[in-house]
Amino acid sequence: MKVAVLKGGDSLERQVSLRSAARVEDALDRLGHEVVAIDVGPDLVDRLGEARPDVAFVALHGRGGEDGTVQELLELVGVPYTGSGPAACIRCMDKVVAKHALRDAGVPTPDFYAFSQAAFEELGAAKALPAIEERLDFPIVVKPAGQGSALGIKFASTAADVPGAIVSAFSYDTKVVLERHVAGRDLAVSVLEGPDGPEALPIVEAVPRGEDFYDFEARYEIGRTEFICPATLPDEVTTRARELALETYRVLGCYGFARVDLMLDDATGELTVLEANVIPGLTDTSLLPLAAEAAGIGFEALIARVLELAVARAPA
Ligand SMILES: Nc1ncnc2c1ncn2[C@@H]1O[C@H](COP(=O)(O)OP(=O)(O)O)[C@@H](O)[C@H]1O
Ligand SMILES: [Mg+2]
């Protein structure tokens, strides 16, 4: 098949996308497909028109590529593509939308309050902060509704830290989430659709090295975090985490593959869902490939599977 690999773009996760795409291109090549690499920009529709690919592999992360924009465009130009459709992308890319959907469906997610920039600028939302702080207790996690890779996430240990954290989150998005902090273990469950429907892959635990426990951005720097797969957990926790990931995948309407991030509370043993990523990283240090490998699915087989699913969904 002729496969257009969509990569890059101008999101903050451009570099991760380029690394994911390089690995995907390599795998597609080894699988015998013809690869057309497209760094997405204003000429995307023209480039797709010229290349006339059989299918597009969307190796984009963040705004534009993961939020339904590119997916909607691919639907319009009639090119089958990998991963979730526009509606699931929109739901997952916006943590406010995703968390409301999860809560409504009875999937546990840490308690939260969300605000738009307009609420602060036009409705005096700052005056409501003490009420929120009282309900969530310190520390509080402040994050932009969009973005990923822990960009813009801040940890507020006292009321004095909250305004600064909110301002920082607003530099990434026009909506912020104030969320209850979960002291516990950081788990990721990838979901991949097999012949019998979505399956949860072995769990990856992210274990931070050193002292920077609350510097979330540092966790993503190579070497600062150790990834253990399969995570060492009691059987019932493993089962429950995988069930929650599948439930999240279903509630948010994902297709093909996704990665669900969860927290396991040290004190209560409770599992909560932080978010779902519709286009998980596919770099050589990413969690989905690691989990697939642990399930006996090599990188090429993973890419082949995701591509097959894209073609299977395509309208005749
Ligand atoms: N409520 C929370 N309690 C504790 N840690 C959190 C919380 N929210 C986020 N984190 C930490 O920050 C990381 C990134 O948060 P997440 O919500 O997955 O956003 P993203 O990955 O999109 O940046 C998590 O994997 C976790 O380590
Ligand atoms: Mg995450």
Side-chain angles (χ1 to χ4, degrees):
M1 286 191 292
K2 190 181 211 183
V3 186
V5 176
L6 308 191
K7 62 178 180 180
D10 65 359
S11 97
L12 295 170
E13 290 169 276
R14 175 179 171 82
Q15 295 309 322
V16 185
S17 163
L18 293 178
R19 281 169 53 213
S20 287
R23 203 167 173 216
V24 169
E25 286 166 32
D26 197 48
L28 289 170
D29 196 50
R30 275 180 281 135
L31 288 163
H33 297 295
E34 184 189 341
V35 175
V36 186
I38 300 180
D39 195 329
V40 305
D43 58 352
L44 176 61
V45 172
D46 286 340
R47 301 267 315 260
L48 287 170
E50 283 158 27
R52 305 191 138 278
D54 298 303
V55 52
F57 197 109
V58 188
L60 295 160
H61 304 303
R63 198 166 285 155
E66 202 169 348
D67 64 4
T69 308
V70 161
Q71 290 75 8
E72 194 83 56
L73 215 52
L74 288 162
E75 299 263 346
L76 276 170
V77 298
V79 176
Y81 57 92
T82 54
S84 295
C89 290
I90 290 166
R91 283 192 283 267
C92 292
M93 189 61 191
D94 186 326
K95 290 187 172 73
V96 181
V97 176
K99 284 175 66 76
H100 275 294
L102 292 174
R103 191 159 71 183
D104 288 351
V107 177
T109 184
D111 288 343
F112 69 102
Y113 293 92
F115 279 117
S116 65
Q117 206 152 11
F120 273 91
E121 286 167 3
E122 294 159 28
L123 301 173
K127 291 272 193 275
L129 287 177
I132 293 177
E133 291 159 4
E134 201 171 301
R135 287 180 212 189
L136 294 181
D137 289 333
F138 285 102
I140 291 172
V141 179
V142 181
K143 51 178 103 170
Q147 296 307 328
S149 301
L151 291 168
I153 299 191
K154 291 268 185 295
F155 179 86
S157 35
T158 67
D161 299 332
V162 174
I166 290 176
V167 169
S168 153
F170 276 141
S171 68
Y172 291 91
D173 201 333
T174 55
K175 277 194 291 186
V176 296
V177 180
L178 282 75
E179 188 173 67
R180 182 187 296 281
H181 176 259
V182 181
R185 296 164 71 178
D186 204 323
L187 308 177
V189 184
S190 296
V191 175
L192 175 65
E193 292 195 35
D196 305 320
E199 280 173 42
L201 298 176
I203 301 172
V204 180
E205 177 174 8
V207 183
R209 286 189 226 253
E211 303 301 299
D212 43 28
F213 236 70
Y214 299 127
D215 185 351
F216 299 129
E217 296 187 25
R219 287 186 173 201
Y220 284 74
E221 284 165 26
I222 291 180
R224 302 290 280 275
T225 303
E226 194 180 346
F227 296 102
I228 298 165
C229 183
T232 312
L233 297 163
D235 286 348
E236 63 273 17
V237 175
T238 301
T239 304
R240 171 92 177 128
R242 295 171 92 176
E243 275 169 10
L244 283 179
L246 288 170
E247 186 62 6
T248 299
Y249 187 91
R250 196 187 59 75
V251 165
L252 298 174
C254 301
Y255 180 80
F257 63 168
R259 195 192 76 231
V260 178
D261 293 339
L262 303 103
M263 294 297 303
L264 171 62
D265 193 312
D266 279 339
T268 64
E270 191 198 6
L271 282 160
T272 45
V273 173
L274 290 179
E275 61 151 356
N277 300 279
V278 284
I279 309 184
L282 295 167
T283 72
D284 46 14
T285 54
S286 295
L287 309 189
L288 168 64
L290 182 66
E293 196 75 57
I297 305 166
F299 193 72
E300 273 170 45
L302 170 66
I303 298 307
R305 180 81 205 122
V306 169
L307 205 61
E308 251 170 57
L309 288 161
V311 176
R313 178 181 48 184

